[in-house]
Amino acid sequence: MSTNFSKNLKYLRTTYGIEQSELAEKVGKKSGSSVANWEKGLAVPNIEILIRLTHIFDVSIDELVKVTLQEESFPSINTLYLKLNRERKQSVYFHAQKELHDQNKAINFSDIVEIYGAVSAGTGEFLSDTEYHESISYSGEIPPHDYAVTVNGNSMEPMFTDKQIIFVNRTQEARNGQIVIAKYDGSSVYVKKLILDEQGCRLVSLNKDYDDLIVDHDHNLEVLGTVVL
């Protein structure tokens, strides 16, 4: 992949007039050195960054990594245009203007979301504000929130699926029935439903294949936030 991808990336970046540092910022990298290494064929980005690149340059992943995106690989409209008579040239020109206008008017619902960790909908994950941070492209409505995390596992299905991004308000307090991000026994971090009733306090999975996590003298709980629903 690296040979085609490296050439294509450099070709697309220079065609669009984007500096390496600018492209790095668009895909969530701190400096242009990552882009430089990709263009030299010394490294390749992960799938999330590849997807972001396809959005930036309006190409498919196959076009980005498999074919050769050089000018000569595309049909040249200039040659065809010059063969047209004046009336048809004018028609092509006005049509191209309309296409460009419609393209510029198109609404893009994609945005960049900062992910600050992973939470388990299964066996427990470690969440950290400092050790894990990634910027990813997100399509859809982004509600007001303090931070976003990725769900790992299926214990909260059907509400949350594996690898889904969820948005969280930071708080140490939660009411009965709220979906919370909580640290259990001091290390594992879960997304669960908090239940407070006559049976005591526990973290409950919506997927009944998983047992409740009981909070008692032997098992402690620290609420880190509530999920924005």
Side-chain angles (χ1 to χ4, degrees), residues 9-142:
L9 180 62
K10 184 174 183 179
Y11 169 70
L12 289 168
R13 181 183 61 77
T14 54
T15 299
Y16 276 70
I18 302 175
E19 298 293 332
Q20 289 181 338
S21 58
E22 182 183 358
L23 182 58
E25 184 178 353
K26 287 178 179 291
V27 298
K29 290 294 184 178
K30 293 181 179 179
S31 71
S33 60
S34 294
V35 177
N37 287 335
W38 299 336
E39 292 183 355
K40 293 175 182 176
L42 300 178
V44 292
N46 59 34
I47 186 63
E48 289 85 1
I49 291 180
L50 283 176
I51 292 172
R52 284 178 230 163
L53 290 170
T54 64
H55 292 165
I56 292 170
F57 297 121
D58 193 25
V59 294
S60 68
I61 288 184
D62 279 351
E63 288 175 323
L64 187 59
V65 304
K66 292 183 179 180
V67 302
T68 302
L69 296 181
Q70 302 294 334
E71 286 188 7
E72 57 269 21
S73 67
F74 293 98
S76 174
I77 193 172
N78 292 334
T79 302
L80 296 175
Y81 179 80
L82 292 173
K83 293 180 179 179
L84 297 175
N85 61 34
R86 181 182 295 273
E87 182 180 348
R88 294 183 184 276
K89 284 179 181 177
Q90 188 176 48
S91 176
V92 169
Y93 176 78
F94 286 130
H95 180 72
Q97 271 194 325
K98 181 181 181 300
E99 289 294 319
L100 180 59
H101 177 71
D102 291 345
Q103 175 180 291
N104 291 338
K105 281 175 54 181
I107 299 174
N108 185 359
F109 289 98
S110 295
D111 207 342
I112 299 298
V113 172
E114 306 295 325
I115 304 297
Y116 287 91
V119 291
S120 178
T123 58
E125 294 286 341
F126 182 74
L127 178 148
S128 169
D129 286 339
T130 58
E131 294 184 13
Y132 182 99
H133 175 217
E134 183 180 10
S135 301
I136 71 169
S137 179
Y138 181 86
S139 296
E141 182 180 355
I142 300 177

